[in-house]
Coordinates of all heavy atoms in Angstrom, one line a residue:
M673 N 0.8 -1.2 0.0 CA 0.0 0.0 0.0 C 0.9 1.2 0.0 O 1.9 1.3 0.7 CB -0.9 0.0 1.3 CG -1.9 -1.1 1.4 SD -2.7 -1.1 3.0 CE -3.8 0.3 2.8
L674 N 0.4 2.2 -0.8 CA 1.2 3.5 -0.9 C 0.6 4.6 0.0 O -0.6 4.7 0.0 CB 1.3 3.9 -2.3 CG 2.1 3.0 -3.3 CD1 1.9 3.6 -4.7 CD2 3.5 2.9 -2.9
F675 N 1.5 5.3 0.6 CA 1.0 6.5 1.4 C 1.9 7.7 1.1 O 3.2 7.5 1.0 CB 1.2 6.2 2.9 CG 0.2 5.1 3.4 CD1 0.6 3.8 3.4 CD2 -1.1 5.4 3.9 CE1 -0.3 2.8 3.8 CE2 -1.9 4.5 4.3 CZ -1.6 3.1 4.3
M676 N 1.3 8.8 1.1 CA 2.1 10.1 1.1 C 2.2 10.5 2.6 O 1.2 10.5 3.3 CB 1.3 11.2 0.4 CG 2.1 12.5 0.5 SD 1.3 13.9 -0.5 CE -0.2 14.2 0.5
V677 N 3.4 10.7 3.0 CA 3.6 11.1 4.4 C 4.3 12.5 4.4 O 5.4 12.6 3.7 CB 4.5 10.1 5.1 CG1 4.8 10.5 6.6 CG2 3.8 8.7 5.1
E678 N 3.7 13.4 5.1 CA 4.3 14.8 5.2 C 4.8 14.9 6.6 O 4.1 14.7 7.6 CB 3.3 15.8 4.9 CG 2.7 15.7 3.5 CD 1.5 16.6 3.3 OE1 1.7 17.8 2.9 OE2 0.4 16.1 3.5
M679 N 6.1 15.2 6.7 CA 6.7 15.3 8.0 C 7.3 16.7 8.2 O 8.0 17.2 7.4 CB 7.9 14.4 8.1 CG 7.6 12.9 7.9 SD 9.1 11.9 8.0 CE 8.5 10.4 7.2
D680 N 6.9 17.4 9.3 CA 7.5 18.6 9.7 C 8.3 18.4 10.9 O 7.9 17.7 11.9 CB 6.4 19.7 10.1 CG 5.4 19.9 9.0 OD1 5.9 19.9 7.8 OD2 4.2 20.0 9.2
V681 N 9.6 18.8 10.9 CA 10.5 18.6 12.1 C 10.5 20.0 12.8 O 10.8 21.0 12.3 CB 11.9 18.2 11.6 CG1 12.8 17.9 12.9 CG2 11.8 17.0 10.7
N682 N 10.2 19.9 14.1 CA 10.2 21.1 15.0 C 11.3 20.9 16.1 O 11.1 19.9 16.9 CB 8.9 21.3 15.6 CG 7.8 21.4 14.6 OD1 7.8 22.3 13.8 ND2 6.9 20.5 14.6
V683 N 12.3 21.7 16.1 CA 13.3 21.6 17.1 C 13.3 22.8 18.0 O 13.6 23.9 17.7 CB 14.7 21.6 16.4 CG1 15.8 21.2 17.4 CG2 14.7 20.6 15.2
P684 N 12.8 22.5 19.3 CA 12.8 23.6 20.2 C 14.2 24.2 20.4 O 15.2 23.6 20.3 CB 12.3 22.9 21.5 CG 11.7 21.7 21.1 CD 12.3 21.3 19.8
L685 N 14.2 25.6 20.7 CA 15.5 26.3 20.8 C 16.4 25.7 21.9 O 17.6 25.8 21.8 CB 15.2 27.8 21.0 CG 14.6 28.5 19.8 CD1 14.3 30.0 20.2 CD2 15.6 28.5 18.7
D686 N 15.8 25.2 22.9 CA 16.6 24.7 24.1 C 17.0 23.2 23.9 O 17.5 22.6 24.8 CB 15.8 24.9 25.4 CG 14.5 24.2 25.4 OD1 14.1 23.6 24.4 OD2 13.9 24.1 26.5
T687 N 16.8 22.6 22.7 CA 17.2 21.3 22.5 C 18.8 21.1 22.6 O 19.5 21.9 22.0 CB 16.8 20.8 21.1 OG1 15.3 20.9 21.0 CG2 17.1 19.3 20.8
D688 N 19.2 20.1 23.2 CA 20.6 19.8 23.3 C 21.2 19.5 21.9 O 20.7 18.5 21.3 CB 20.9 18.6 24.3 CG 22.4 18.3 24.4 OD1 23.0 19.0 25.2 OD2 22.8 17.5 23.6
Q689 N 22.1 20.3 21.4 CA 22.5 20.2 20.0 C 23.3 18.9 19.7 O 23.1 18.3 18.7 CB 23.4 21.4 19.6 CG 22.6 22.7 19.5 CD 21.4 22.6 18.6 OE1 21.5 22.2 17.5 NE2 20.2 22.9 19.1
E690 N 24.0 18.4 20.7 CA 24.8 17.1 20.5 C 23.8 16.0 20.4 O 24.0 15.1 19.6 CB 25.7 17.0 21.7 CG 27.0 16.2 21.4 CD 28.0 16.3 22.5 OE1 28.3 17.4 22.9 OE2 28.4 15.2 23.0
R691 N 22.8 16.0 21.3 CA 21.8 14.9 21.3 C 21.0 14.9 20.0 O 20.8 13.9 19.4 CB 20.8 15.1 22.5 CG 19.7 14.1 22.5 CD 18.8 14.2 23.8 NE 17.6 13.4 23.5 CZ 16.4 14.0 23.3 NH1 16.3 15.3 23.2 NH2 15.3 13.3 23.1
F692 N 20.7 16.1 19.6 CA 19.9 16.2 18.3 C 20.8 15.8 17.1 O 20.2 15.1 16.2 CB 19.4 17.7 18.1 CG 18.5 17.7 16.9 CD1 17.2 17.2 17.1 CD2 18.9 18.3 15.7 CE1 16.3 17.3 16.0 CE2 18.0 18.3 14.6 CZ 16.7 17.8 14.8
A693 N 22.0 16.1 17.1 CA 22.9 15.7 16.0 C 23.0 14.1 16.0 O 23.0 13.5 14.9 CB 24.3 16.3 16.2
A694 N 23.0 13.5 17.1 CA 23.1 12.0 17.2 C 21.8 11.4 16.7 O 21.8 10.4 15.9 CB 23.3 11.6 18.6
L695 N 20.6 12.0 17.0 CA 19.3 11.5 16.6 C 19.2 11.7 15.0 O 18.7 10.9 14.3 CB 18.2 12.3 17.3 CG 18.0 11.9 18.7 CD1 17.0 12.8 19.4 CD2 17.5 10.5 18.8
K696 N 19.8 12.9 14.6 CA 19.7 13.2 13.1 C 20.5 12.1 12.3 O 20.1 11.7 11.3 CB 20.3 14.6 12.9 CG 19.6 15.3 11.8 CD 20.1 16.8 11.8 CE 20.1 17.3 10.4 NZ 20.6 18.7 10.3
Q697 N 21.7 11.7 12.9 CA 22.5 10.7 12.2 C 21.8 9.4 12.2 O 21.8 8.7 11.2 CB 23.9 10.6 12.9 CG 24.8 9.6 12.3 CD 25.1 9.9 10.9 OE1 25.2 11.0 10.4 NE2 25.4 8.8 10.1
A698 N 21.2 9.0 13.4 CA 20.4 7.8 13.5 C 19.2 7.8 12.5 O 18.9 6.8 11.9 CB 19.9 7.6 14.9
E699 N 18.6 8.9 12.4 CA 17.5 9.1 11.4 C 17.9 8.8 10.0 O 17.3 8.1 9.2 CB 16.8 10.5 11.6 CG 15.7 10.8 10.6 CD 14.4 10.3 11.0 OE1 14.2 10.0 12.2 OE2 13.5 10.1 10.1
K700 N 19.1 9.4 9.6 CA 19.6 9.3 8.3 C 19.9 7.8 8.0 O 19.6 7.3 6.9 CB 20.9 10.1 8.2 CG 21.5 10.1 6.8 CD 22.8 10.9 6.8 CE 23.4 10.8 5.4 NZ 24.6 11.7 5.3
E701 N 20.5 7.1 9.0 CA 20.8 5.7 8.8 C 19.5 4.9 8.6 O 19.4 4.0 7.7 CB 21.7 5.2 9.9 CG 23.1 5.7 9.8 CD 23.9 5.6 11.1 OE1 23.5 4.7 12.0 OE2 24.9 6.3 11.2
R702 N 18.5 5.1 9.4 CA 17.3 4.4 9.3 C 16.6 4.7 8.0 O 16.0 3.8 7.3 CB 16.3 4.7 10.5 CG 15.0 4.1 10.5 CD 15.1 2.5 10.6 NE 13.8 1.9 10.7 CZ 13.5 0.8 10.1 NH1 14.5 0.1 9.4 NH2 12.3 0.2 10.2
F703 N 16.6 6.0 7.6 CA 16.0 6.4 6.3 C 16.7 5.7 5.2 O 16.0 5.1 4.3 CB 16.2 7.9 6.2 CG 16.0 8.5 4.9 CD1 14.8 8.2 4.2 CD2 16.9 9.3 4.3 CE1 14.6 8.8 2.9 CE2 16.7 9.8 3.0 CZ 15.5 9.6 2.3
Q704 N 18.0 5.6 5.2 CA 18.7 5.0 4.1 C 18.4 3.5 4.0 O 18.3 2.9 3.0 CB 20.2 5.3 4.1 CG 20.4 6.8 3.8 CD 21.8 7.2 3.8 OE1 22.7 6.6 4.4 NE2 22.0 8.4 3.2
E705 N 18.3 2.8 5.2 CA 17.9 1.4 5.3 C 16.5 1.2 4.7 O 16.3 0.2 3.9 CB 18.0 1.0 6.8 CG 17.7 -0.4 7.1 CD 17.8 -0.6 8.6 OE1 17.2 0.2 9.4 OE2 18.3 -1.6 9.1
L706 N 15.6 2.0 5.1 CA 14.2 1.9 4.5 C 14.2 2.2 3.0 O 13.4 1.6 2.3 CB 13.3 2.8 5.3 CG 13.0 2.3 6.7 CD1 12.3 3.5 7.5 CD2 12.1 1.1 6.8
Q707 N 15.0 3.1 2.6 CA 15.1 3.3 1.1 C 15.6 2.1 0.4 O 15.0 1.7 -0.6 CB 16.1 4.5 0.8 CG 15.5 5.9 1.0 CD 16.5 6.9 0.4 OE1 16.4 7.3 -0.7 NE2 17.5 7.2 1.2
R708 N 16.7 1.5 0.9 CA 17.3 0.3 0.3 C 16.2 -0.8 0.2 O 16.2 -1.6 -0.7 CB 18.5 -0.1 1.0 CG 19.8 0.8 0.6 CD 21.1 0.2 1.1 NE 21.2 0.3 2.5 CZ 21.7 1.4 3.1 NH1 22.2 2.3 2.4 NH2 21.7 1.4 4.5
A709 N 15.4 -0.9 1.3 CA 14.4 -2.0 1.3 C 13.2 -1.7 0.4 O 12.3 -2.5 0.3 CB 13.9 -2.1 2.8
G710 N 13.1 -0.5 -0.2 CA 12.0 -0.1 -1.0 C 10.8 0.3 -0.3 O 9.7 0.6 -0.8
T711 N 10.9 0.5 1.1 CA 9.8 0.9 1.9 C 9.6 2.4 1.8 O 8.4 2.9 1.7 CB 10.1 0.5 3.4 OG1 10.3 -0.9 3.4 CG2 8.9 0.9 4.3
W712 N 10.7 3.2 1.9 CA 10.6 4.6 1.8 C 11.0 5.0 0.4 O 12.2 5.1 0.1 CB 11.6 5.3 2.8 CG 11.4 6.7 3.2 CD1 10.9 7.7 2.3 CD2 11.6 7.3 4.4 NE1 10.9 8.9 3.0 CE2 11.2 8.7 4.3 CE3 12.0 6.9 5.7 CZ2 11.4 9.6 5.3 CZ3 12.2 7.8 6.7 CH2 11.8 9.1 6.6
R713 N 10.0 5.0 -0.5 CA 10.3 5.1 -1.9 C 10.8 6.4 -2.4 O 11.7 6.4 -3.3 CB 9.0 4.8 -2.7 CG 8.7 3.3 -2.8 CD 8.0 3.2 -4.2 NE 7.2 2.0 -4.2 CZ 6.3 1.8 -5.1 NH1 6.1 2.7 -6.1 NH2 5.6 0.7 -5.1
H714 N 10.3 7.5 -1.9 CA 10.7 8.8 -2.4 C 10.7 9.8 -1.2 O 9.9 9.6 -0.3 CB 9.7 9.3 -3.4 CG 9.5 8.5 -4.6 ND1 10.5 8.4 -5.6 CD2 8.5 7.6 -5.0 CE1 10.0 7.6 -6.6 NE2 8.9 7.1 -6.2
I715 N 11.5 10.8 -1.4 CA 11.5 11.9 -0.4 C 11.8 13.2 -1.1 O 12.7 13.2 -2.0 CB 12.4 11.7 0.8 CG1 12.3 12.7 1.9 CG2 13.9 11.6 0.3 CD1 13.0 12.4 3.2
W716 N 11.2 14.2 -0.8 CA 11.5 15.6 -1.3 C 11.5 16.5 -0.1 O 10.7 16.4 0.8 CB 10.4 16.1 -2.3 CG 10.4 15.3 -3.5 CD1 11.1 15.5 -4.7 CD2 9.6 14.2 -3.8 NE1 10.8 14.6 -5.6 CE2 9.8 13.8 -5.1 CE3 8.6 13.5 -3.0 CZ2 9.2 12.7 -5.7 CZ3 8.0 12.4 -3.6 CH2 8.3 12.0 -4.9
R717 N 12.5 17.5 -0.1 CA 12.5 18.5 0.8 C 11.4 19.6 0.4 O 11.3 19.8 -0.8 CB 13.9 19.2 0.8 CG 14.1 20.4 1.7 CD 13.9 20.0 3.2 NE 15.0 19.3 3.8 CZ 14.8 18.4 4.8 NH1 13.6 18.0 5.2 NH2 15.8 17.8 5.3
V718 N 10.7 20.1 1.4 CA 9.8 21.2 1.1 C 10.6 22.5 1.2 O 11.1 22.8 2.2 CB 8.6 21.2 2.1 CG1 7.6 22.3 1.8 CG2 7.9 19.8 2.0
V719 N 10.6 23.2 0.1 CA 11.5 24.4 0.0 C 11.1 25.4 1.1 O 10.0 25.7 1.3 CB 11.3 25.1 -1.4 CG1 12.1 26.4 -1.4 CG2 11.8 24.1 -2.5
G720 N 12.2 25.8 1.8 CA 12.0 26.8 2.9 C 11.5 26.3 4.2 O 11.2 27.1 5.1
H721 N 11.4 25.0 4.3 CA 10.9 24.4 5.6 C 11.8 23.2 6.0 O 12.4 22.6 5.2 CB 9.4 23.8 5.4 CG 8.5 24.9 5.1 ND1 7.7 25.6 6.0 CD2 8.1 25.5 3.9 CE1 7.0 26.5 5.4 NE2 7.2 26.4 4.1
Y722 N 11.8 22.9 7.3 CA 12.4 21.7 7.8 C 11.3 20.6 7.7 O 10.8 20.2 8.7 CB 13.0 21.8 9.2 CG 14.0 20.7 9.6 CD1 14.6 20.8 10.8 CD2 14.2 19.6 8.8 CE1 15.5 19.8 11.2 CE2 15.0 18.6 9.2 CZ 15.7 18.7 10.4 OH 16.5 17.7 10.8
S723 N 10.9 20.3 6.5 CA 9.8 19.4 6.2 C 10.1 18.5 5.0 O 11.0 18.9 4.1 CB 8.5 20.2 5.9 OG 8.2 21.1 6.9
N724 N 9.5 17.4 4.9 CA 9.6 16.6 3.7 C 8.3 16.0 3.3 O 7.4 15.9 4.1 CB 10.7 15.5 3.8 CG 10.2 14.4 4.8 OD1 9.3 13.6 4.4 ND2 10.8 14.3 6.0
V725 N 8.2 15.7 2.0 CA 7.0 14.9 1.5 C 7.6 13.6 1.0 O 8.6 13.6 0.2 CB 6.3 15.6 0.3 CG1 5.2 14.8 -0.2 CG2 5.7 17.0 0.8
S726 N 7.1 12.5 1.5 CA 7.6 11.2 1.2 C 6.6 10.2 0.7 O 5.4 10.4 1.0 CB 8.3 10.6 2.5 OG 9.4 11.3 2.9
I727 N 7.0 9.2 0.0 CA 6.1 8.1 -0.4 C 6.6 6.8 0.2 O 7.8 6.5 0.1 CB 6.1 8.0 -1.9 CG1 5.7 9.3 -2.6 CG2 5.2 6.8 -2.3 CD1 4.2 9.7 -2.4
F728 N 5.7 6.2 1.0 CA 6.0 4.9 1.6 C 5.3 3.8 1.0 O 4.1 4.0 0.6 CB 5.7 4.9 3.1 CG 6.7 5.6 4.0 CD1 6.8 7.0 4.0 CD2 7.5 4.9 4.8 CE1 7.7 7.7 4.8 CE2 8.5 5.6 5.6 CZ 8.5 6.9 5.6
D729 N 5.9 2.6 0.9 CA 5.2 1.4 0.3 C 5.3 0.4 1.4 O 6.4 -0.2 1.7 CB 6.0 1.0 -0.9 CG 5.3 -0.2 -1.6 OD1 4.2 -0.7 -1.1 OD2 5.7 -0.6 -2.7
V730 N 4.2 0.1 2.1 CA 4.1 -0.8 3.2 C 3.0 -1.8 3.1 O 2.1 -1.6 2.3 CB 4.0 0.0 4.5 CG1 5.2 0.9 4.8 CG2 2.7 0.9 4.5
A731 N 3.0 -2.8 4.0 CA 1.9 -3.8 3.9 C 0.6 -3.3 4.3 O -0.4 -3.6 3.7 CB 2.3 -5.0 4.8
D732 N 0.5 -2.5 5.3 CA -0.8 -2.0 5.8 C -0.6 -0.8 6.7 O 0.5 -0.3 7.0 CB -1.6 -3.1 6.5 CG -0.7 -3.8 7.6 OD1 0.1 -3.1 8.2 OD2 -1.0 -5.0 7.9
N733 N -1.7 -0.3 7.2 CA -1.7 0.9 8.1 C -0.8 0.7 9.3 O -0.1 1.6 9.7 CB -3.1 1.3 8.5 CG -4.0 1.7 7.4 OD1 -3.6 1.7 6.2 ND2 -5.2 2.2 7.7
A734 N -1.0 -0.5 9.9 CA -0.2 -0.7 11.1 C 1.3 -0.7 10.9 O 2.0 -0.3 11.7 CB -0.7 -2.1 11.7
A735 N 1.7 -1.3 9.7 CA 3.1 -1.3 9.4 C 3.7 0.1 9.3 O 4.7 0.4 9.8 CB 3.4 -2.1 8.1
L736 N 2.9 1.0 8.6 CA 3.3 2.4 8.5 C 3.4 3.0 9.9 O 4.4 3.8 10.2 CB 2.4 3.2 7.6 CG 2.8 4.6 7.4 CD1 4.2 4.7 6.7 CD2 1.8 5.4 6.6
H737 N 2.4 2.8 10.7 CA 2.4 3.4 12.1 C 3.6 3.0 12.8 O 4.3 3.8 13.5 CB 1.1 2.9 12.8 CG 1.0 3.5 14.2 ND1 0.6 4.7 14.4 CD2 1.4 2.9 15.4 CE1 0.6 5.0 15.7 NE2 1.1 3.9 16.3
D738 N 4.0 1.7 12.8 CA 5.1 1.2 13.5 C 6.4 1.8 13.0 O 7.3 2.2 13.8 CB 5.2 -0.3 13.4 CG 4.1 -1.0 14.2 OD1 3.4 -0.4 15.0 OD2 3.9 -2.2 13.9
I739 N 6.5 2.0 11.7 CA 7.8 2.6 11.1 C 7.9 4.0 11.5 O 8.9 4.5 12.0 CB 7.7 2.4 9.6 CG1 8.0 1.0 9.2 CG2 8.8 3.3 8.9 CD1 7.7 0.7 7.7
L740 N 6.8 4.8 11.4 CA 6.9 6.2 11.7 C 7.1 6.5 13.1 O 8.0 7.3 13.5 CB 5.6 6.9 11.2 CG 5.3 6.9 9.7 CD1 4.0 7.6 9.4 CD2 6.4 7.5 8.9
T741 N 6.5 5.8 14.0 CA 6.6 6.0 15.4 C 8.0 5.6 16.0 O 8.3 6.0 17.1 CB 5.5 5.4 16.3 OG1 5.4 4.0 16.0 CG2 4.1 6.1 15.9
A742 N 8.7 4.8 15.2 CA 10.0 4.3 15.7 C 11.1 5.2 15.1 O 12.3 4.9 15.4 CB 10.2 2.8 15.3
L743 N 10.8 6.1 14.2 CA 11.9 7.0 13.7 C 12.6 7.7 14.8 O 11.9 8.3 15.7 CB 11.3 8.0 12.6 CG 10.8 7.4 11.3 CD1 10.1 8.4 10.5 CD2 11.9 6.7 10.6
P744 N 13.9 7.8 14.7 CA 14.6 8.6 15.8 C 14.1 10.0 16.0 O 14.1 10.5 17.1 CB 16.1 8.5 15.3 CG 16.1 7.3 14.4 CD 14.8 7.2 13.8
L745 N 13.7 10.7 14.9 CA 13.3 12.1 15.1 C 11.8 12.2 15.3 O 11.2 13.3 15.4 CB 13.7 12.9 13.8 CG 15.1 13.2 13.6 CD1 15.3 14.1 12.4 CD2 15.7 13.9 14.9
Y746 N 11.1 11.0 15.5 CA 9.6 11.0 15.7 C 9.2 12.0 16.8 O 8.2 12.7 16.6 CB 9.1 9.6 15.9 CG 7.6 9.6 16.2 CD1 6.7 9.7 15.1 CD2 7.1 9.5 17.5 CE1 5.4 9.7 15.4 CE2 5.8 9.5 17.7 CZ 4.9 9.6 16.7 OH 3.5 9.6 16.9
P747 N 9.9 12.1 17.9 CA 9.5 13.0 19.0 C 9.5 14.4 18.6 O 8.8 15.3 19.2 CB 10.5 12.7 20.1 CG 11.1 11.4 19.8 CD 11.1 11.3 18.3
F748 N 10.2 14.8 17.5 CA 10.3 16.2 17.0 C 9.3 16.4 15.8 O 9.4 17.5 15.3 CB 11.7 16.5 16.6 CG 12.7 16.4 17.8 CD1 13.3 15.3 18.1 CD2 12.9 17.6 18.5 CE1 14.2 15.2 19.1 CE2 13.8 17.5 19.6 CZ 14.5 16.3 19.9
M749 N 8.6 15.4 15.4 CA 7.8 15.5 14.1 C 6.3 15.7 14.3 O 5.7 15.2 15.2 CB 8.0 14.2 13.3 CG 9.4 14.1 12.7 SD 9.4 12.5 11.9 CE 11.0 12.6 11.1
N750 N 5.8 16.5 13.4 CA 4.3 16.5 13.2 C 4.2 15.8 11.8 O 4.9 16.1 10.9 CB 3.7 17.9 13.1 CG 3.7 18.6 14.4 OD1 3.5 17.9 15.4 ND2 4.0 19.9 14.4
I751 N 3.3 14.8 11.8 CA 3.2 13.9 10.6 C 1.7 13.9 10.1 O 0.8 13.8 10.9 CB 3.6 12.5 11.0 CG1 5.1 12.5 11.4 CG2 3.4 11.5 9.8 CD1 5.6 11.1 11.8
R752 N 1.6 14.0 8.8 CA 0.3 13.8 8.2 C 0.4 12.7 7.2 O 1.4 12.6 6.4 CB -0.1 15.1 7.4 CG -0.4 16.3 8.4 CD -0.7 17.5 7.6 NE 0.4 18.0 6.8 CZ 1.5 18.6 7.2 NH1 1.6 18.8 8.5 NH2 2.5 18.9 6.4
V753 N -0.6 11.8 7.2 CA -0.6 10.6 6.3 C -1.8 10.7 5.4 O -2.9 10.9 5.8 CB -0.6 9.3 7.1 CG1 -0.7 8.1 6.3 CG2 0.7 9.2 8.0
T754 N -1.5 10.4 4.1 CA -2.6 10.3 3.1 C -2.5 9.0 2.3 O -1.4 8.7 1.8 CB -2.5 11.5 2.1 OG1 -2.5 12.7 2.8 CG2 -3.6 11.5 1.1
A755 N -3.5 8.2 2.3 CA -3.5 6.9 1.6 C -3.6 7.2 0.1 O -4.4 8.1 -0.3 CB -4.7 6.1 2.1
L756 N -2.9 6.5 -0.7 CA -2.8 6.7 -2.1 C -3.2 5.4 -2.8 O -3.1 4.3 -2.3 CB -1.4 7.0 -2.6 CG -0.8 8.2 -2.0 CD1 0.7 8.4 -2.4 CD2 -1.5 9.5 -2.3
C757 N -3.8 5.5 -4.0 CA -4.0 4.3 -4.9 C -3.7 4.7 -6.3 O -3.5 5.9 -6.7 CB -5.4 3.7 -4.7 SG -6.7 4.8 -5.3
R758 N -3.6 3.7 -7.1 CA -3.1 3.9 -8.5 C -4.1 4.8 -9.3 O -5.3 4.6 -9.2 CB -3.1 2.5 -9.2 CG -2.6 2.5 -10.6 CD -2.6 1.1 -11.2 NE -2.3 1.2 -12.6 CZ -1.0 1.3 -13.1 NH1 0.0 1.3 -12.2 NH2 -0.7 1.4 -14.4
H759 N -3.5 5.7 -10.0 CA -4.4 6.6 -10.9 C -4.7 5.8 -12.2 O -3.8 5.1 -12.7 CB -3.7 7.9 -11.2 CG -4.5 8.8 -11.9 ND1 -4.9 8.7 -13.2 CD2 -5.2 9.9 -11.4 CE1 -5.7 9.7 -13.6 NE2 -5.9 10.5 -12.5
P760 N -5.9 5.8 -12.7 CA -6.2 4.9 -13.8 C -5.5 5.3 -15.1 O -5.3 4.4 -16.0 CB -7.8 5.2 -14.0 CG -8.1 6.4 -13.2 CD -7.1 6.5 -12.1
S761 N -4.9 6.5 -15.2 CA -4.2 6.9 -16.4 C -2.7 6.7 -16.2 O -1.9 7.1 -17.1 CB -4.5 8.3 -16.7 OG -5.9 8.5 -16.9
S762 N -2.2 6.2 -15.1 CA -0.8 6.1 -14.8 C -0.1 5.2 -15.8 O -0.7 4.1 -16.1 CB -0.5 5.7 -13.4 OG 0.9 5.4 -13.2
I763 N 1.1 5.5 -16.3 CA 1.8 4.6 -17.1 C 2.9 3.8 -16.3 O 3.6 3.0 -16.9 CB 2.5 5.3 -18.3 CG1 3.6 6.3 -17.7 CG2 1.5 6.0 -19.2 CD1 4.5 6.9 -18.7
H764 N 2.9 4.0 -15.0 CA 3.9 3.3 -14.2 C 3.3 2.0 -13.6 O 2.3 2.0 -12.9 CB 4.3 4.2 -13.0 CG 5.0 5.5 -13.5 ND1 6.2 5.5 -14.1 CD2 4.5 6.8 -13.6 CE1 6.5 6.8 -14.5 NE2 5.5 7.5 -14.2
D765 N 4.0 0.9 -13.9 CA 3.5 -0.4 -13.4 C 3.7 -0.6 -11.9 O 3.0 -1.5 -11.4 CB 4.3 -1.5 -14.1 CG 4.1 -1.5 -15.6 OD1 3.0 -1.1 -16.0 OD2 4.9 -2.0 -16.4
D766 N 4.5 0.2 -11.3 CA 4.7 -0.1 -9.8 C 3.9 0.8 -8.9 O 4.1 0.9 -7.7 CB 6.2 0.1 -9.5 CG 6.7 1.5 -9.7 OD1 6.0 2.3 -10.4 OD2 7.9 1.8 -9.3
D767 N 2.9 1.5 -9.5 CA 1.9 2.3 -8.7 C 0.9 1.3 -8.2 O 0.1 0.7 -8.9 CB 1.1 3.3 -9.5 CG 2.0 4.4 -10.1 OD1 3.2 4.5 -9.6 OD2 1.6 5.1 -11.0
R768 N 0.8 1.1 -6.9 CA -0.2 0.1 -6.3 C -0.8 0.8 -5.2 O -0.3 1.7 -4.5 CB 0.5 -1.2 -5.8 CG 1.1 -2.0 -6.9 CD 1.8 -3.2 -6.3 NE 3.2 -3.0 -6.0 CZ 3.7 -3.0 -4.7 NH1 2.9 -3.2 -3.7 NH2 5.0 -2.7 -4.5
Ligands
LIG1517 O1 15.2 15.7 7.1 C1 14.0 15.4 7.3 O2 13.1 15.8 6.6 C2 13.6 14.4 8.4 C3 14.0 13.0 8.2 C4 13.6 12.4 7.0 C5 14.7 11.7 6.5 C6 15.8 12.1 7.2 O3 17.0 11.7 7.0 O4 15.4 12.9 8.2

């Protein structure tokens, strides 16, 4: 199942910078692992924001919930999820 996931990262001014840098590195590693697995299919930076728009390919709603809530930066994120399905005019075979 495909989902559009919009993530906004909010970092309070009093956040410990060293701790945040470690979480950011852990997030990058998890992100790249999920990309290699084909789970986190796409990501785009939203211009002018510490936000991204991503496409996830997961088994079901619960799988997406588990992945998102386990992200290292999850405590700093506001997340919006939109379920997607194939557009009838799409020429891409991997839209499901
Ligand atoms: O940078 C972000 O938008 C937050 C998050 C998503 C991937 C990643 O490496 O960090």
